[in-house]
Amino acid sequence: VLRAGWKGLEGKLRLGLEGGFASGDSWDNTPEGNTNIAYANLLGTCPTGSTACAVDGTLSQFMFNRDYKVDMIMFRHLIGAVTNAGYVKPFLSYELTKSIAFKVSNVTSFAIRPVATPGNSTMYGTEFDSDIGYASNGFYIGFSYGVLFPFAAMSHPSSDPLGTQYSYDVSNQGDASTAHTIQTRLMLTF
């Protein structure tokens, strides 16, 4: 991860850019199409009954700590952590008053090894996240909204342009659709 930032307007405005990278393997999760690291196929075992694949036994997939929160949807929930991915995240935050702050960011992510994505494609998607919060004397309340626009790497196609057939069930084929999340927080410190 690399992050650069700039503060202005007496520290009220903050602009920045973050980028991160984590290597991946050339293996689909088991079952194929699941994206969360809970299903990671770390050693590249062959699917049951397959004789056409080779297992190299090399562990080359790196995963970020799950507590390192990059976004609100893609890496936090769908994938579980940054792995087999690179991302670019410009962000802006501004203190509207001494107690009220606003933040917005965009996370655009891509696969390092496209063959290990459900859609065998490079681009995972782009996500826009926003947050507004109020803090005063140990009391904090906040509201966040995120929207993810997934690209071809998150789709479950029936076949690729070269005619290769995927093993996705007919009920699990198609393009990934837009995802939204709304989150609220209420904290009291003492």
Side-chain angles (χ1 to χ4, degrees):
V1 172
L2 180 64
R3 180 186 287 185
W6 174 82
K7 288 184 180 181
L9 301 176
E10 300 174 359
K12 292 181 179 183
L13 175 67
R14 204 175 115 204
L15 301 171
L17 181 66
E18 177 181 323
F21 164 85
S23 63
D25 280 324
S26 298
W27 314 111
D28 287 318
N29 283 347
T30 304
E32 185 180 2
N34 280 339
T35 56
N36 199 287
I37 61 173
Y39 302 100
N41 190 358
L42 299 176
L43 292 176
T45 55
C46 296
T48 305
S50 174
T51 58
C53 66
V55 178
D56 69 4
T58 303
L59 292 170
S60 60
Q61 182 174 11
F62 179 79
M63 296 177 198
F64 279 28
N65 186 313
R66 291 177 137 198
D67 289 331
Y68 188 77
K69 306 295 186 199
V70 173
D71 58 11
M72 294 177 67
I73 302 172
M74 174 69 82
F75 293 116
R76 187 178 295 199
H77 294 290
L78 298 180
I79 298 178
V82 177
T83 184
N84 186 36
Y87 69 91
V88 178
K89 177 183 178 180
F91 58 90
L92 173 143
S93 67
Y94 185 74
E95 288 182 13
L96 300 170
T97 69
K98 189 174 181 175
S99 299
I100 300 173
F102 176 73
K103 296 187 292 188
V104 293
S105 65
N106 167 255
V107 180
T108 300
S109 52
F110 56 91
I112 303 303
R113 304 240 181 173
V115 71
T117 68
N120 285 355
S121 189
T122 302
M123 295 304 296
Y124 280 121
T126 190
E127 180 175 331
F128 295 92
D129 299 323
S130 62
D131 179 82
I132 190 163
Y134 172 83
S136 179
N137 299 323
F139 174 77
Y140 180 83
I141 187 167
F143 175 81
S144 301
Y145 172 74
V147 59
L148 168 67
F149 299 100
F151 298 148
M154 297 301 289
S155 294
H156 290 186
S158 58
S159 64
D160 66 20
L162 301 175
T164 305
Q165 295 295 315
Y166 293 96
S167 61
Y168 301 126
D169 183 81
V170 175
S171 65
N172 193 20
Q173 292 176 0
D175 292 333
S177 59
T178 304
H180 303 267
T181 185
I182 297 173
Q183 301 175 5
T184 60
R185 296 173 307 288
L186 176 63
M187 294 181 270
L188 183 60
T189 58
F190 50 94

